[in-house]
């Protein structure tokens, strides 16, 4: 299943669909799915005219992340063994779809992210290129997965990994999905892919500062959810260092000048040490909650598997065993 989240894409959707394959080696059938995210133009009509097999139609705009998740759920219900996600603006070269799905068929990965040639993309500003590399590094650190281009929306995901997927961010799915998958034990790799020329300005990155802020919040939220122990432990080091510094300062002043008590320094040091202790308690509670989260994810996965099954075609046995 090749899915395309759309919001007012009547101008580019037909070109994007024309480039999509109807046959991919290793699969019996290739179907197309369009998620209409509350479009007010002819997006749905264009999709039908171009022979799209499945359409999820939102009455109002719910955001890219919601559209992505809705597409995954619909693809699973239709029995998809592998789901490929691409953009409606045709920025990704559809001829590279076989490269995306190959690691899944060969059982080398469950989630494959297409890595764009960021340095050679002309319509990317120098600031955006730096931010792309920085964001990918942060996601690699947080998820533990070796992903070169984390914000890339050109990706393939196996049926099993799709049933383990949970997205809580309402802004974008790209970063959180990798972090969540990596922390859940899903095997992830990157493959180099090609891109086409710019057909329209990005609707997700309307403003660099806004995109940085929203993406940063998504990463920070994911760190607290999926790596609470390490995150709170590292946060606790900051007040600990400050508390130890002012404790040493108080001791130095106390022995040098016994006529003054320097109570403010002592109180501030105590407050910082207590703050460090509270962070470490949060780390402990976060790890305990993390165990419960993993148990709930396993229960959710089993329920989805019982409801949706392992796959509808014999191709599932090729890579799922």
């Amino acid at each position: 299943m090749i899915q395309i989240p759309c919001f007012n894409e009547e101008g580019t959707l037909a070109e994007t669909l024309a480039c999509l394959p109807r046959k991919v080696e290793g699969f019996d059938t290739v179907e197309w799915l369009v998620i209409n995210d509350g479009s007010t133009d002819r997006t749905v009509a264009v999709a039908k005219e171009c022979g799209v097999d499945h359409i999820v139609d939102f009455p109002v705009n719910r955001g890219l992340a919601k559209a992505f998740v809705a597409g995954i759920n619909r693809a699973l219900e239709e029995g998809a063994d592998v789901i490929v996600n691409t953009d409606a603006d045709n920025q990704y070269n559809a001829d590279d779809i076989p490269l995306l799905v190959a690691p899944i068929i060969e059982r080398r990965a469950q989630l494959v992210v297409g890595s764009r040639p960021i340095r050679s993309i002309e319509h990317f500003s120098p600031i955006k290129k730096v931010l792309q590399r920085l964001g990918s590094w942060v996601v690699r650190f947080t998820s533990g997965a070796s992903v070169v281009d984390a914000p890339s929306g050109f990706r393939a995901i196996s049926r099993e990994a799709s049933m383990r997927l949970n997205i809580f961010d309402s802004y974008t799915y790209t970063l959180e999905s990798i972090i969540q998958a990596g922390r859940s034990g899903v095997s992830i790799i990157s493959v180099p892919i090609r891109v086409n020329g710019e057909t329209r300005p990005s609707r997700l990155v309307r403003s660099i500062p806004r995109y940085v802020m929203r993406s940063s919040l998504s990463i920070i939220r994911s760190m607290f959810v999926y790596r609470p122990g390490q995150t709170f432990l590292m946060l606790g080091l900051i007040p600990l260092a400050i508390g130890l510094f002012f404790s040493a300062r108080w001791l130095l002043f106390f022995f040098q000048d016994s006529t003054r008590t320097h109570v403010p320094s002592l109180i501030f040091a105590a407050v910082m040490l207590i703050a460090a202790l509270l962070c470490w308690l949060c780390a402990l509670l976060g790890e305990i909650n993390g165990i419960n989260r993993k148990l709930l994810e396993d229960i959710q996965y089993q329920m989805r598997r019982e409801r949706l099954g392992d796959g509808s075609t014999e191709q599932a046995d090729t890579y799922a065993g």
Side-chain angles (χ1 to χ4, degrees):
M1 188 78 74
I2 304 175
Q3 71 168 36
I4 310 175
C6 296
F7 177 62
N8 292 336
E9 300 288 0
E10 66 173 353
T12 58
L13 183 58
E15 179 184 0
T16 301
L17 292 172
C19 297
L20 295 184
R22 276 297 188 179
K23 293 183 179 180
V24 175
E25 185 178 355
F27 295 89
D28 295 328
T29 58
V30 176
E31 298 180 1
W32 300 344
L33 165 65
V34 162
I35 306 98
N36 175 44
D37 190 16
S39 299
T40 57
D41 62 1
R42 297 185 66 256
T43 294
V44 173
V46 172
K48 292 179 178 178
E49 292 169 0
C50 293
V52 169
D53 302 283
H54 311 281
I55 297 177
V56 176
D57 194 4
F58 290 169
V60 296
N61 181 261
R62 298 178 60 186
L64 179 59
K66 298 293 185 182
F68 173 81
V69 173
I72 293 292
N73 292 334
R74 177 62 179 273
L76 290 173
E77 291 173 357
E78 297 294 338
D81 299 314
V82 175
I83 304 167
V84 172
N85 184 85
T86 189
D87 286 356
D89 61 357
N90 200 35
Q91 69 162 303
Y92 303 112
N93 193 320
D95 293 337
D96 289 336
I97 287 179
L99 296 178
L100 281 181
V101 300
I104 298 178
I105 296 177
E106 297 166 0
R107 302 179 66 179
R108 293 188 288 113
Q110 295 171 295
L111 173 61
V112 184
V113 181
S115 175
R116 297 166 292 180
I118 300 296
R119 294 183 178 180
S120 61
I121 299 179
E122 297 180 355
H123 62 271
F124 276 16
S125 66
I127 296 178
K128 187 174 182 179
K129 292 180 180 180
V130 171
L131 292 175
Q132 293 277 7
R133 290 195 292 269
L134 177 61
S136 297
W137 178 85
V138 174
V139 171
R140 286 196 298 272
F141 171 79
T142 307
S143 66
S146 180
V147 178
V148 179
D149 185 11
S152 171
F154 195 40
R155 52 185 64 188
I157 182 169
S158 70
R159 183 177 185 83
E160 181 179 357
S162 299
M163 288 192 286
R164 294 186 178 276
L165 187 65
N166 288 298
I167 303 295
F168 304 107
D169 194 343
S170 60
Y171 180 58
T172 180
Y173 63 89
T174 54
L175 305 180
E176 183 182 0
S177 61
I178 295 175
I179 295 173
Q180 189 262 339
R183 303 309 301 175
S184 299
V186 173
S187 55
I188 309 172
I189 65 172
S190 294
V191 297
I193 53 98
R194 295 165 293 176
V195 296
N196 301 316
E198 185 180 25
T199 57
R200 60 161 175 76
S202 173
R203 290 174 179 166
L204 185 66
V205 190
R206 298 178 181 178
S207 166
I208 293 295
R210 181 174 179 269
Y211 176 74
V212 171
M213 182 184 67
R214 295 292 297 270
S215 298
S216 299
L217 290 176
S218 176
I219 293 173
I220 292 172
R221 185 188 302 111
S222 298
M223 290 179 65
F224 280 114
V225 172
Y226 300 108
R227 301 190 72 172
Q230 184 174 358
T231 301
F232 279 108
L233 182 64
M234 294 177 63
L235 285 177
L237 295 177
I238 299 175
L240 175 66
I242 297 175
L244 291 177
F245 171 78
F246 277 92
S247 296
R249 181 175 180 272
W250 177 81
L251 288 173
L252 180 63
F253 286 156
F254 178 79
F255 287 111
Q256 286 183 348
D257 184 9
S258 59
T259 60
R260 297 180 59 187
T261 58
H262 300 282
V263 173
S265 294
L266 184 61
I267 293 176
F268 186 71
V271 170
M272 290 294 100
L273 293 176
I274 292 173
L277 178 61
L278 291 176
C279 285
W280 294 339
L281 287 176
C282 289
L284 177 60
L285 293 175
E287 287 298 307
I288 295 175
N289 287 332
I291 295 174
N292 292 331
R293 176 182 57 79
K294 291 178 181 178
L295 292 174
L296 290 174
E297 286 181 347
D298 288 340
I299 293 173
Q300 181 190 56
Y301 167 73
Q302 291 299 333
M303 293 178 63
R304 286 176 174 173
R305 188 168 183 175
E306 290 177 3
R307 181 172 64 89
L308 299 171
D310 295 330
S312 62
T313 69
E314 296 178 357
Q315 177 59 33
D317 294 332
T318 302
Y319 59 88

